[in-house]
Each structure stands twice: as structure tokens, then as C-alpha cells.
Amino acid sequence: MKRQNSLGSKKSLNSKLTLGGILVALGVVYGDIGTSPMYTMSSLVAGNGGLGHISTDFILGSVSLIFWTLTIITTTKYVLIALRADNNGEGGIFALYTLVRKKAKWLIIPAMIGGATFLSDGMMTPAVTVTTAVEGLKGINIGNHVLISNQHTVVIVAIVILSCLFFIQRFGTEALGRAFGPIMMLWFTSLAIAGLYRLAGDWSFLRALNPYYAIKTLLSSENKNGIFILGSIFLATTGAEALYSDMGHVGRSNIYGSWPYVKICLLINYLGQGVWLNQIKGLSSYQKINSLNPFFEMVPAQFRLAMTIIATLAAIIASQSLISGSYTLVSEATKLKLLPRLRMIYPTNFKGQLYIPAVNNIIWILCISIVLYFKTSEKMAGAYGLVITITMLMTTVLLNAWLSTTKRNPVLSKIIIIFFLAIESIFLISNSVKFFEGGYVTFTIACVLIMIMIIWQYGELLKNDNTFHREYVSLLAYKKQLKELSEDESLPLYTTNLVYLTKIHDGFKIKKDILYSILDKRPKRAKVYWFVTVNVTDKPYTTAYSVDTFGTDYMVNVQLYLGFRMEQKVNFFLRQIVNEMMIKGELPRQPQTYTTIPDRSVGDFSFVIIQEVLSPDTQLDNLKKNIIQARLWLQRYTVTPAIWFGLSYSDVVVERVPLTLGQLRSDKLRLVQREPLIKYDDVDNSDEDDD
């Protein structure tokens, strides 16, 4: 008997366009891209040799390049195209992968690379944004005191702010999150006001919107970096991937409604910085300033402190968005079996609130290390953006697969994909020089993450490869034995409901280890034997199940279908299923003689988890054996299956079984003739020493 039922559904956030939704979008989606004006123009000036080596045409061209990069990459690719590729309202590279993974197995490769590089480069965001904001306070007189006078103090303050931010994650950030929208609205408005104040001094700079100046600067000899100038230009759009990933929190319509305002504010600020640079580029007083940052310098002195405070708040919000996004991304990767299981905590009832202690601590350590290593935002910006370009390329590859599944014009779709692949490849080439300027840090982190994903994913494939020596047996062949064991009153009742978490293969086959555990290792008498499989679906918030009792009332195969964003509370869901089956008469009631719950009709549950240990008899080549060993090692240091499946407060028994893969050695004993015993009296002791 088979039946499918819902355990309740959790829909994504309402995607209708509302004023409140737009405000939330400003606070959640645009932290990274919204703080880029703090360091993009300063990186361009420093990369061209400083203030004394830039001209009006160079400044115009730089602003033009920024505008068209925002238009082509952020607006066209992500806002107009990628946001359409949503999985029940959820965005991001893993949500995109779930839409296309059935199309081709190799698509897991761009998904793994894109996810790893996004996580890696994102670790630079809190470090660079917070450090840049704190640098804005350097030399400012506050209450007749200069609190931050040198870069050493900047580093200390940045570390303190970052440490506090990571510390509060464990308590949840629901209250903090409510303030994000108004603060970011104030931030973007401040960007526009500061930009307009300077743009009013030279409205002719609006001609920078003409792509002619962008092309001219790329080819001009005044541009000392040539095409590699795009490495700094790319900083203006690094938050585009995060914008796509955060779609599930605010809805596509609210991003559509808020992006025009955000883009206009960003553009006006960049134009204002360009006008200010053009006005002061010949002044020796400014040319003597080390690490000149036009973003803060263009703000009138009387408003500098206020702008810096708002910038610091915006930097904290950008960092918080990155941290929350990292939790979500790791959670999705774990549910898709691309990363090991990690302990996950839900500190509040607020949708999307998730805390992963291991991820939090790792990002915190890396952010602090980045601040201590690079020391200045200028050097961080020089290393920032390299691997996120790889993420964008991988997203384009997956978008190509998605577009081929839609009814859109295939020729036009291919032209669009080729165009973006070409543009992003140029950005990747231009960013390649950042590898030696510090980009090797994020590149190394990305490689480590990719290696972990390969070990976890390929190790799982090796473990379940039917070509290896794995014994599977049909549950149907053991129906009679399980019935007799269930009714054998000569054995003590082990538990009322005995549950095994296992995958049921075609033909109702399961690993023989499970039936060996029930029948041989220690006969476990139970009223009902449960074989439960947790299936992670392509949809984010699925909660459904199917059952098959094999025509019995003592064997149940449960298939749980949980979305890749759902918590896997197996014990909680299983009790709901039991109650439903009893109400429908599919299972007999299990009244308890001794209980604290009146009229209790459901018996006790015991969960048996089979833990595999690599057997010395495994015969694999060294590479495959090392991958399996590495996966088992990772498994040992990550969250236990009991915690992962929501069984922390349940009766759980862990049984260790050998994992034998490959051809078995035929180590059989050979009977040999035993030598006759020598009598002690026949031994000649004449040669013994007399001492």
C-alpha cells in the first residue's frame, strides 16, 4: 500500500511588491554592492599610480566603465535574467543547480566550484567593508580628540567590531534585522546626496554615461593597467551574486522595485566622486595624502563624521548579510550532500534565521586573519573579487542549462550566454593579476572547499557503487522472519517501534547490515520495524511523505520528502505519520500500561544508526581508498546522524559495521600437520650454562 501525504508546507516569502518588502530588500539584498563606492574609486586611483597620474578622460572613462558594468552584469544578467531562474522563490547557485541537475550529471561541477568560490570571496566582504569604514574615522576630531590616528588603531577597532558581530550571531539577529531596511535607506539616500553635492559642480560629467568614454579609457595609454583596469572596475558589481542568492528572503518583485533606486544612488555617488577627483587632481595637498579615499574626502568636513558613522553601520549590515548568506549556502550544500553535516541552530522563529557554529567560527577566524594580514582596505581591495568572477562564470554555465529547459528562443538564449561568458572571461583575465596581490588567499580557501566537496560527494558515490562488494538483500525475502521475531514472546521486547534510517533501492533492497543487526547481531523484537529514507527535494520547502507497509502491520517503509531548506526533524515527522496511520487503521494502536500521558496510543521508539568503518580487507586503488578514508574522517568530526536527523532526545543506538569495498582477499586458513610434542625428559640439557 502506498500513499503520499503532506506534513504541512512552508512557502517562500510573499513576492508581491510592497513598500515594506522594498524596505526589507534594501536591508537584506544590497549590503555588498551598496558598500562598494567606499573602495572602488580609491582602488582605481591607486592602481593607476595615484592622484598625480590621472586625467579627466581617465576619470570619465572609469565612471563610464562602472556604469556599464552595473548595467550589463548586475541589471541585465542578474536582475532581468537570473532572478527568473528561481526555485519556488529561492535563488542562488545551489537553488539554480536543483533546477537543472537532472539535465546532466556533470552540472554538479560548476555548482561545486561556484558555491566554493562564492563562500571564499565572501569571507573578504566583512574585512574590507568594516576596515574601509573605520578608516574613514582616521584623523577626525571627535570631542577635541582624534580617537583613530593611525592604521594600527584602525586594525584594532575593525577586529573588535567584527568580533562583536560574529559573537551575537548565536543569539539570533531578528531585532537587528528589523533596523537594516531604514538604515540602508538612509545609506543609499546619503550616497545620492553626497554625490549630487559634488555633481552640481560639473553637470557635464553626466557624459560619462556614454560608452564611448569607457572604450576610450580601455584603449588609452593614460590607462596604465590596460584591460587589467577591469579588476578594479569589477569591485562595483561584486554583490550581484549575493543579490541573486538573497532573493528568497525578499521576493523577486521587491528586488525589481528597489534596484532602480539603488542603482541611481550608486551611479550619482560615483559621478560625484569623479567630479571631485577631477577638481582636486592637480592640488599638491591632496597628492601628498597616502591611501586617498575619494568617497570620504569628497564629503564636506562638517558632515564627515556623520557619513562615516552611517558607512560603518552599512558595513556591519553588509557583513551580516554575508554571514547569514553563508549559513544558508552551507545549509543548502549540506542538504544536497555536497558538504558534511554541520550542527545547525535556529535561534529565533524568524524566517531564515539560522546559525551554524562551525561556519561562524571559521569565517570569524578568517576575517580577523585577513585584517591582520592585509592591514589596509587598499590592499584588501587589491585582492578582492578574483574568485567571485569564477562564481559568476559558473552561474552563467548553469543559466545556460536552465534556459535550454525553457520555451525561450534557443538561438537568442545562446547568444546571450556567449555574450556573458565572453564578458566574464575578460573580467576573470583582468582579475587574474590579483592572485599575486593577495587573491591567492581566497583562491586557496576556495580550493580547500572544493576539495572537501569532492571528497564528500565522490566518497559517497564510491560507498554506494554497486560494482564494489556491497551486499544488498530484499526486505520482502525477510517478511516471514520479521513477523516471527515480532511475535516471539520468548524474547524480551526490545522496543515497540524499531527505526532504521536507510535508503531503499530498487526491488525493496537494503544493505544486509541492517537485517543482520535485527536478526543476527542481537535479535531485536519489536512490534513494528520502520525503514525510513530522507529524500532531499529540488524544491526548498517540501514536507511530504509516502508509506508502504508491504501488506503487513509490522513493516513500514517511509519515504520522507523534505526541501533542501527544511530541517530534518525525523522523530517529529515520524510521530505524525504514526498517528495518521493509526487513525486510518493501517497500524494497530500501541497502548502503554505505564505512561505519564493519558490515553497514550503510540509506543516507544528506538533508532538504530549503522556507522561504517573502513575494513582492512578493502581492496581499492590508493586514490579511491584515500578518498573514502578522508570522507570517513570528515564524518567523524562533523555532527552526528542523531543530531542531524533531529534525534538528540530520542533513544538512539549506534552500531559499528565494517565497510568493505572492492574485491575481497581470500584469506583462508590451511590445515597443516602438527609436529609431535617433545617430552621434557628427552631434552638434552648438557649445554646449559651453570650460572
Side-chain angles (χ1 to χ4, degrees):
M1 171 226 137
K2 294 184 179 179
R3 176 169 52 82
Q4 183 162 330
N5 194 9
S6 173
L7 292 169
S9 61
K10 183 179 181 181
K11 296 181 180 180
S12 59
L13 203 68
N14 194 330
S15 61
K16 291 183 179 178
L17 180 63
T18 63
L19 185 59
I22 289 176
L23 203 60
V24 172
L26 289 174
V28 173
V29 175
Y30 302 111
D32 192 353
I33 201 167
T35 52
S36 57
M38 288 196 291
Y39 45 79
T40 301
M41 289 299 290
S42 62
S43 175
L44 283 163
V45 174
N48 208 58
L51 200 60
H53 297 84
I54 61 174
S55 65
T56 300
D57 284 345
F58 176 84
I59 298 170
L60 278 168
S62 297
V63 176
S64 184
L65 283 167
I66 290 171
F67 168 71
W68 286 104
T69 298
L70 285 172
T71 300
I72 294 172
I73 300 295
T74 311
T75 303
T76 307
K77 177 187 171 181
Y78 282 97
V79 176
L80 297 181
I81 298 177
L83 290 187
R84 308 299 303 180
D86 70 296
N87 188 339
N88 278 36
E90 297 294 333
I93 194 160
F94 287 140
L96 178 58
Y97 167 65
T98 60
L99 292 174
V100 300
R101 63 176 173 175
K102 293 180 181 178
K103 187 173 178 62
K105 290 183 178 180
W106 66 267
L107 290 172
I108 194 173
I109 297 174
M112 287 194 300
I113 295 174
T117 49
F118 180 68
L119 277 172
S120 172
D121 211 58
M123 292 176 187
M124 186 76 80
T125 299
V128 68
T129 53
V130 171
T131 303
T132 304
V134 175
E135 283 176 346
L137 290 170
K138 191 163 62 174
I140 293 182
N141 194 317
I142 304 175
N144 297 322
H145 292 89
V146 178
L147 300 180
I148 300 178
S149 58
N150 53 58
Q151 194 63 29
H152 178 70
T153 310
V154 168
V155 169
I156 294 174
V157 173
I159 289 175
V160 170
I161 291 175
L162 287 169
S163 298
C164 291
L165 182 61
F166 282 99
F167 177 75
I168 65 172
Q169 299 301 315
R170 68 197 67 204
F171 305 110
T173 55
E174 181 178 355
L176 190 63
R178 292 195 188 102
F180 283 2
I183 291 173
M184 291 304 288
M185 172 65 82
L186 176 62
W187 166 249
F188 285 115
T189 304
S190 299
L191 290 180
I193 292 172
L196 275 173
Y197 176 77
R198 293 300 178 183
L199 182 59
D202 188 357
W203 290 103
S204 69
F205 249 70
L206 287 172
R207 67 186 188 276
L209 304 185
N210 187 335
Y212 163 78
Y213 293 98
I215 298 170
K216 180 181 178 181
T217 298
L218 276 177
L219 304 176
S220 173
S221 59
E222 293 179 358
N223 170 21
K224 300 184 183 302
N225 290 317
I227 194 175
F228 296 105
I229 191 179
L230 294 176
S232 294
I233 296 294
F234 188 74
L235 294 174
T237 192
T238 50
E241 190 72 34
L243 178 151
Y244 178 39
S245 296
D246 288 330
M247 174 172 58
H249 295 289
V250 298
R252 181 195 305 136
S253 298
N254 289 313
I255 295 179
Y256 285 162
S258 56
W259 172 242
Y261 179 73
V262 170
K263 184 179 178 182
I264 290 170
C265 291
L266 291 172
L267 177 59
I268 291 173
N269 190 267
Y270 284 121
L271 285 166
Q273 289 188 54
V275 170
W276 182 82
L277 281 171
N278 189 53
Q279 291 172 342
I280 59 93
K281 66 180 184 297
L283 301 178
S284 59
S285 57
Y286 284 99
Q287 292 177 3
K288 294 176 182 178
I289 298 177
N290 291 326
S291 302
L292 175 76
N293 191 330
F295 175 80
F296 291 107
E297 294 292 339
M298 78 168 182
V299 178
Q302 63 268 33
F303 300 112
R304 183 86 52 84
L305 177 59
M307 190 67 173
T308 306
I309 292 172
I310 299 172
T312 304
L313 292 174
I316 291 172
I317 291 171
S319 302
Q320 176 61 49
S321 298
L322 176 277
I323 296 167
S324 300
S326 298
Y327 296 155
T328 302
L329 200 70
V330 170
S331 173
E332 292 174 356
T334 303
K335 304 286 177 59
L336 294 171
K337 297 183 178 180
L338 298 177
L339 281 176
R341 297 166 181 156
L342 297 172
R343 181 168 174 246
M344 298 182 186
I345 299 171
Y346 298 84
T348 70
N349 293 324
F350 187 68
K351 182 183 182 298
Q353 279 285 298
L354 174 66
Y355 172 61
I356 306 178
V359 174
N360 187 75
N361 294 337
I362 289 171
I363 298 178
W364 172 64
I365 291 170
L366 289 172
C367 281
I368 299 303
S369 301
I370 287 169
V371 173
L372 291 172
Y373 181 71
F374 289 103
K375 292 185 174 61
T376 68
S377 62
E378 183 180 324
K379 291 181 179 178
M380 293 179 202
Y384 189 35
L386 170 59
V387 294
I388 198 67
T389 323
I390 301 174
T391 306
M392 290 185 172
L393 276 167
M394 297 303 103
T395 299
T396 302
V397 172
L398 294 175
L399 278 175
N400 177 51
W402 174 76
L403 284 170
S404 66
T405 65
T406 65
K407 297 179 180 180
R408 291 169 174 80
N409 188 317
V411 176
L412 179 60
S413 297
K414 291 298 180 185
I415 292 173
I416 291 172
I417 293 299
I418 291 171
F419 173 75
F420 284 120
L421 285 174
I423 293 292
E424 289 165 354
S425 296
I426 293 172
F427 273 115
L428 179 60
I429 293 169
S430 65
N431 271 306
S432 62
V433 295
K434 292 185 176 183
F435 181 86
F436 301 102
E437 297 173 1
Y440 56 83
V441 174
T442 51
F443 186 82
T444 302
I445 295 170
C447 288
V448 171
L449 289 171
I450 292 170
M451 186 60 64
I452 292 173
M453 288 183 180
I454 291 173
I455 290 171
W456 196 255
Q457 176 70 17
Y458 189 48
E460 177 73 10
L461 293 175
L462 288 175
K463 280 177 57 182
N464 297 319
D465 192 340
N466 291 329
T467 61
F468 292 142
H469 185 76
R470 301 301 303 273
E471 289 190 79
Y472 291 88
V473 294
S474 172
L475 270 175
L476 301 181
Y478 289 85
K479 283 177 64 175
K480 183 179 179 181
Q481 285 197 53
L482 290 175
K483 179 177 177 58
E484 291 174 352
L485 176 59
S486 175
E487 297 174 347
D488 188 355
E489 295 186 359
S490 67
L491 293 173
L493 187 67
Y494 185 85
T495 184
T496 307
N497 298 282
L498 185 60
V499 185
Y500 285 84
L501 295 169
T502 183
K503 182 176 182 180
I504 307 292
H505 296 266
D506 293 340
F508 303 104
K509 289 186 177 181
I510 63 172
K511 293 177 183 177
K512 189 176 181 180
D513 296 332
I514 292 174
L515 286 166
Y516 181 87
S517 169
I518 298 174
L519 301 171
D520 297 88
K521 193 166 188 176
R522 174 189 171 187
K524 298 179 178 65
R525 180 179 163 229
K527 294 293 185 182
V528 184
Y529 297 95
W530 298 81
F531 305 94
V532 180
T533 305
V534 178
N535 303 284
V536 179
T537 68
D538 292 343
K539 297 184 183 300
Y541 297 114
T542 303
T543 48
Y545 75 94
S546 66
V547 294
D548 190 348
T549 61
F550 308 105
T552 74
D553 61 358
Y554 58 87
M555 290 171 59
V556 184
N557 169 22
V558 175
Q559 298 288 325
L560 280 174
Y561 303 96
L562 302 177
F564 62 88
R565 282 202 168 183
M566 288 300 299
E567 189 179 358
Q568 298 184 3
K569 301 179 290 187
V570 172
N571 188 20
F572 174 76
F573 290 138
L574 198 56
R575 289 185 181 275
Q576 291 187 49
I577 293 170
V578 174
N579 277 309
E580 286 190 18
M581 293 182 71
M582 286 181 177
I583 291 171
K584 294 178 179 295
E586 297 164 357
L587 283 180
R589 295 188 177 274
Q590 304 166 350
Q592 301 296 295
T593 304
Y594 304 102
T595 177
T596 59
I597 304 172
D599 301 322
R600 177 175 172 180
S601 61
V602 178
D604 58 323
F605 281 79
S606 288
F607 295 83
V608 179
I609 294 175
I610 304 296
Q611 183 180 20
E612 295 174 320
V613 181
L614 194 63
S615 169
D617 291 330
T618 292
Q619 297 293 298
L620 296 174
D621 62 66
N622 286 333
L623 177 60
K624 291 179 179 178
K625 190 171 184 178
N626 288 335
I627 289 176
I628 289 288
Q629 287 176 329
R631 190 187 190 280
L632 293 175
W633 181 84
L634 286 171
Q635 191 171 306
R636 189 186 315 162
Y637 291 99
T638 53
V639 71
T640 63
I643 295 175
W644 178 255
F645 290 113
L647 307 176
S648 300
Y649 304 105
S650 305
D651 180 25
V652 179
V653 176
V654 178
E655 294 184 353
R656 292 160 61 92
V657 299
L659 175 62
T660 306
L661 301 174
Q663 297 298 319
L664 294 178
R665 294 201 308 260
S666 57
D667 295 337
K668 292 185 178 180
L669 289 174
R670 179 172 57 88
L671 178 64
V672 297
Q673 186 66 38
R674 188 178 67 173
E675 294 292 334
L677 293 175
I678 301 174
K679 293 182 180 179
Y680 184 77
D681 294 340
D682 296 335
V683 177
D684 183 3
N685 297 322
S686 60
D687 293 333
E688 288 183 353
D689 294 335
D690 293 329
D691 51 277

